[in-house]
């Protein structure tokens, strides 16, 4: 499970059951509403690993992937004030 420090408040994006590219689009929408912070993206799409990791890398976002089960992936995404 994704662990957070007590001082961090994570915004949860539940994309379970959503096909590709919806998990990434839901993340983009959340980042547009609030550019800085911590998010947990929950996805059941195994292809989301490539999309989310690539997007975070391109946008200098910290991304940590945890595979909960064969059908569940959690992404801890952090964007800091620069």
């Amino acid at each position: 499970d994704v662990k957070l420090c007590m001082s961090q408040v994570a915004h949860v994006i539940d994309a379970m059951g959503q096909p590709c590219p919806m998990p990434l689009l839901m993340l983009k929408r959340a980042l547009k509403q609030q550019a800085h912070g911590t998010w947990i993206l929950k996805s059941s799409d195994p292809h989301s690993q490539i999309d989310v990791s690539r997007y975070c890398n391109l946008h200098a976002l910290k991304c940590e992937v945890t595979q909960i089960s064969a059908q569940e992936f959690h992404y801890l995404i952090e964007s800091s004030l620069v």
Side-chain angles (χ1 to χ4, degrees), residues 14-67:
D14 188 356
M16 295 297 291
Q18 298 292 324
C20 198
M22 283 307 295
L24 180 59
L25 294 175
M26 291 171 76
L27 173 62
K28 286 181 179 181
R29 189 178 308 136
L31 288 168
K32 197 172 191 179
Q33 290 174 356
Q34 183 177 334
H36 306 289
T38 303
W39 295 265
I40 296 174
L41 172 63
K42 296 180 179 183
S43 177
S44 54
D45 182 4
H47 301 293
S48 65
Q49 278 190 283
I50 296 167
D51 293 341
V52 172
S53 297
R54 223 180 251 161
Y55 180 83
C56 289
N57 196 22
L58 280 171
H59 291 67
L61 300 168
K62 185 178 175 188
C63 180
E64 187 179 313
V65 182
T66 303
Q67 185 168 351

